Amino acid sequence: MIQSIERYMKQAIVDRNPAVASAALVSSVHMLLKGNEVVKRWVNEVQEAVSSENKMVQYHALGLLYHIRSADRMAISKLVAKHTKTSLRSPHATCLLIRIAAKALDDAEPGSATGDLISFLESCVRNKSEMVMYEAARCLGQLGDAKARAITTTAVSTLSIMLNSPKPTLRFAALRALNKMAMQDPSLIQIVNHDLELLITDSNRSIATLAITTLLKTGQENKIDLLMKQISTFMGDIAEEFKVVIVDAIRNLCQRFPKKYPAMLSFLGTALREEVSNSGWTGHSD
């Protein structure tokens, strides 16, 4: 069946109409994921589409090319090496390339040459596109401990700038990335504690709550009482899933600072008495 339309699909992939080309590329991805190996014969057309001036065509073509070569680690290395040396027009394609490079870096064997990959990620942190900057910083922050130590400062500095963005989505995204980094090692992001404290009073409750939970993982002992007081002011306004996160963060904080246990237990007891739904506060039983 696929063989009967192969000629038309190959023509559509390099069609001058971006909508046609993107549709053909996305369809090819679905066919490949369902086991249609014939798609792998369209590499030449896909590579031509990667050079397209249309941003979405370039993004879809790079995605298909990655899926075609995903089983060959050497081919993936060549793909990354080729496109990291050229400037992709599409920020979406650049974000995808960042993820591919980060995965290759994470899968690299100890002692292997990864300098070019790290340099590429660090260069993307200085990209003019906020999307690309964020993706590069997020990937740098999620690398393994040994690799992350040398480049965490770059990632954290970029994310700290985004914390002051007027765009709520960018502030929230930066907070999520920092929160995940704090799960690995809270000391990595202590340098942005001041910026996090400013976000506690953010008009967006999701941002304020995430700032609180991040500070609970990285904050200092002398700031705990203030954090407990600020959390109590809007506990009734936040979603249940965030309440669960706050309870878990406070439980971990009790282990870090045993002297503050009475204050944190008092906060949890007060919250429980305020008839908050049991689904969000099952952590009390521990």
Side-chain angles (χ1 to χ4, degrees), residues 81-246:
K82 176 182 177 181
H83 292 289
T84 53
K85 295 177 181 178
T86 60
S87 179
L88 295 171
R89 297 182 181 88
S90 170
H92 301 82
T94 305
C95 286
L96 178 58
L97 186 61
I98 288 171
R99 293 187 179 187
I100 296 171
K103 187 177 186 306
L105 188 60
D106 198 46
D107 294 341
E109 297 179 358
S112 58
T114 58
D116 291 342
L117 294 176
I118 293 177
S119 297
F120 167 68
L121 294 179
E122 290 183 322
S123 68
C124 289
V125 168
R126 298 184 291 273
N127 194 284
K128 62 181 180 180
S129 170
E130 292 177 339
M131 181 195 311
V132 174
M133 289 174 59
Y134 167 75
E135 191 63 34
R138 184 189 68 83
C139 288
L140 284 173
Q142 291 182 355
L143 294 177
D145 292 340
K147 300 168 186 173
R149 283 293 179 179
I151 53 182
T152 295
T153 302
T154 303
V156 173
S157 298
T158 302
L159 293 171
S160 67
I161 295 174
M162 294 180 180
L163 291 178
N164 299 312
S165 170
K167 301 178 182 178
T169 51
L170 197 57
R171 296 200 302 275
F172 185 78
L175 268 173
R176 283 196 64 184
L178 290 169
N179 191 276
K180 289 183 178 180
M181 292 174 64
M183 292 179 184
Q184 298 176 358
D185 187 350
S187 64
L188 294 176
I189 64 170
Q190 285 183 344
I191 59 175
V192 298
N193 275 2
H194 177 68
D195 294 319
L196 295 175
E197 290 171 3
L198 295 178
L199 290 177
I200 293 177
T201 56
D202 195 281
S203 58
N204 187 303
R205 281 287 178 250
S206 296
I207 292 177
T209 304
L210 195 54
I212 284 286
T213 56
T214 306
L215 277 171
L216 288 174
K217 297 171 184 174
T218 65
Q220 300 173 343
E221 186 173 4
N222 59 357
K223 297 289 183 69
I224 291 178
D225 292 333
L226 178 60
L227 289 175
M228 295 295 103
K229 182 178 179 181
Q230 290 174 317
I231 294 174
S232 62
T233 60
F234 57 82
M235 280 303 301
D237 300 329
I238 62 177
E240 292 297 322
E241 58 266 25
F242 282 123
K243 293 175 183 176
V244 175
V245 173
I246 289 177

